[in-house]
Amino acid sequence: MTDGPKPQPGILEISLYEGGASSVDGVENVIKLSSNENPWGPSDKAVEAVAKAARSLHRYPVTDHADLRQAIGETHGLDPARIICGVGSDEVLTWVAQAYAGPGDEIIVTEHGFSMYPIIAHGVGAVPVEVAERERVVDVDAILDAVTTRTRVVFIANPANPTGTMVGQAELARLAAALPDRVVLVLDGAYAEFVEGFDGGAGLVDRFANLVMTRTFSKIYGLGGLRIGWGYAAPEIIAVLNRLRAPFNLATAQLMAAEAAVRDRAHVDRCRAENDRLRGWLAHALAEHGVPSDTSSTNFVLARFADAEEADACDAWLKREGVIVRKVAGYKLPHCLRITVGDEAGCRRVAHLVGQFKGRPDNG
Ligand SMILES: Cc1ncc(COP(=O)(O)O)c(C=O)c1O
């Protein structure tokens, strides 16, 4: 027997992505606040579009995504020719790494950055280089200090997951201007829609040829189960990424649902307003119970506990009571729990339980 086939460099370095749990053994009717899903679900128009798409399952989907790119372009005031659509924004992020980095190259990620970034870096054999954040906020100077001749890509989420914090536009513009042209700066805007009036970095993409903005239908649009995302960049970058895109990467149901969803602005506005209201309420209620959090620009709150033991004990207590939140020790935040902003009942339930937990003499 030989040793068998050997995977490419980097593949065995990948720590498997852990999704948010959705069930607890022995507990019924759990409230899932672990994956930053939209508690109000997608637009009715998106659901109708999926039902309609079901009638053409025997047909291959279109390959150019023209209608969806047109709808995204009209909604955001962007050139559809500079948009590419993927299986979640994860696929777009992966194309960027595949296209611009390889074995031995470096991809800069930040201390508490989204866990897919190192996975994607290892997947192409590149080395993820982690740089410090400042009080859970991306630090532009730390990124610039880490740039070497091997740097090919920088991944930043703005607003960020799991911290919920944002870097200001002036800071991002400073970063974009200071990075060498050969480095691709990815502005991951998975949560951009939660910030009213924020363009997700599109304006910066228009000014720099080495920027890519990514967006998703998984968060405010409530379509995480369908897997659709998109990217916006200079035509030269889009032309490169399109070479990596499989022609039929998105099914007709994905394309039609996303198009209906992006055109339903009333639903997006309603979800943003409700998220704003309940996020403020939740953060305040948690703080009253002695659990602070940074100002969040997303649909979750990063609740900070005294230490890792207290966070773990609270997580276990919430689980026992049927509420699932996200432990973030893997993000170097062992004393924190990430809590998705649920509907009103979900927010009230989790705040009430955290209050009960903090009021218990042993917290255990
Ligand atoms: C910062 C960030 N980027 C990207 C994604 C991936 O989104 P998608 O579902 O579009 O692949 C997520 C999902 O949680 C995220 O939090």
Side-chain angles (χ1 to χ4, degrees), residues 7-346:
Q8 287 293 308
I11 307 293
L12 294 178
E13 311 288 326
I14 294 174
S15 321
L16 290 184
Y17 180 83
E18 279 183 44
S22 49
S23 63
V24 184
D25 284 347
V27 184
E28 275 179 33
N29 300 323
V30 292
I31 298 176
K32 185 183 177 199
L33 303 176
S34 56
S35 296
N36 301 339
E37 293 155 340
N38 180 336
W40 302 287
S43 153
D44 288 344
K45 296 188 173 115
V47 177
E48 284 160 23
V50 171
K52 198 165 161 212
R55 290 190 222 115
S56 58
L57 291 178
H58 57 302
R59 302 286 181 204
Y60 273 91
V62 297
T63 60
D64 63 5
H65 307 161
D67 291 347
L68 175 55
R69 289 187 298 104
Q70 182 68 28
I72 294 170
E74 281 174 20
T75 305
H76 294 278
L78 304 175
D79 177 2
R82 297 174 55 182
I83 292 171
I84 187 166
C85 301
V87 179
S89 47
D90 282 350
E91 190 176 37
V92 184
L93 299 168
T94 304
W95 292 328
V96 172
Q98 287 175 340
Y100 295 101
D105 291 335
E106 295 172 358
I107 293 186
I108 295 182
V109 301
T110 65
E111 189 180 356
H112 309 299
F114 181 45
S115 61
M116 278 306 294
Y117 304 155
I119 290 177
I120 288 169
H122 285 306
V124 300
V127 181
V129 175
E130 188 186 294
V131 308
E133 297 189 7
R134 209 183 294 151
E135 295 282 312
R136 297 171 298 281
V137 180
V138 166
D139 180 349
V140 162
D141 291 309
I143 292 174
L144 289 173
D145 286 348
V147 172
T148 72
T149 54
R150 313 216 79 162
T151 307
R152 294 290 175 270
V153 178
V154 177
F155 282 125
I156 294 178
N158 200 36
N161 172 23
T163 58
T165 61
M166 272 189 97
V167 205
Q169 280 300 95
E171 279 294 272
L172 280 184
R174 187 162 73 82
L175 174 62
L179 278 177
D181 292 349
R182 66 182 154 74
V183 177
V184 181
L185 171 60
V186 179
L187 302 176
D188 176 346
Y191 300 90
E193 285 83 359
F194 291 104
V195 184
E196 186 155 21
F198 178 47
D199 72 355
L204 278 180
V205 173
D206 289 338
R207 284 173 47 202
F208 296 93
N210 56 331
L211 262 59
V212 177
M213 172 183 75
T214 58
R215 304 286 281 264
T216 185
F217 283 89
S218 303
K219 304 300 172 187
I220 210 162
Y221 291 102
L223 289 170
L226 215 47
R227 313 298 304 125
I228 316 131
W230 55 280
Y232 175 68
E236 294 76 14
I237 292 186
I238 294 297
V240 168
L241 303 187
N242 259 321
R243 288 178 157 75
L244 291 165
R245 184 175 68 81
F248 302 111
N249 64 326
L250 288 177
T252 304
Q254 290 167 296
L255 294 165
M256 287 176 65
E259 186 186 340
V262 80
R263 290 193 186 280
D264 187 351
R265 300 321 293 168
H267 184 71
V268 173
D269 291 344
R270 257 194 317 271
C271 292
R272 183 192 303 111
E274 271 301 87
N275 180 71
D276 270 9
R277 180 176 76 81
L278 289 165
R279 182 183 63 206
W281 182 88
L282 178 62
H284 181 74
L286 293 173
E288 297 249 291
H289 295 312
V291 181
S293 55
D294 297 315
T295 300
S296 168
S297 299
T298 60
N299 65 338
F300 57 84
V301 167
L302 185 69
R304 293 203 304 279
F305 291 80
D307 51 32
E309 283 94 274
E310 194 189 43
D312 284 353
C314 187
D315 176 69
W317 160 256
L318 292 173
K319 256 200 198 97
R320 214 186 75 189
E321 297 296 320
V323 175
I324 308 176
V325 299
R326 188 68 155 263
K327 285 168 82 158
V328 280
Y331 282 98
K332 302 193 167 61
L333 295 161
H335 59 303
C336 298
L337 295 177
R338 194 192 69 189
I339 306 175
T340 301
V341 177
D343 60 10
E344 178 119 26

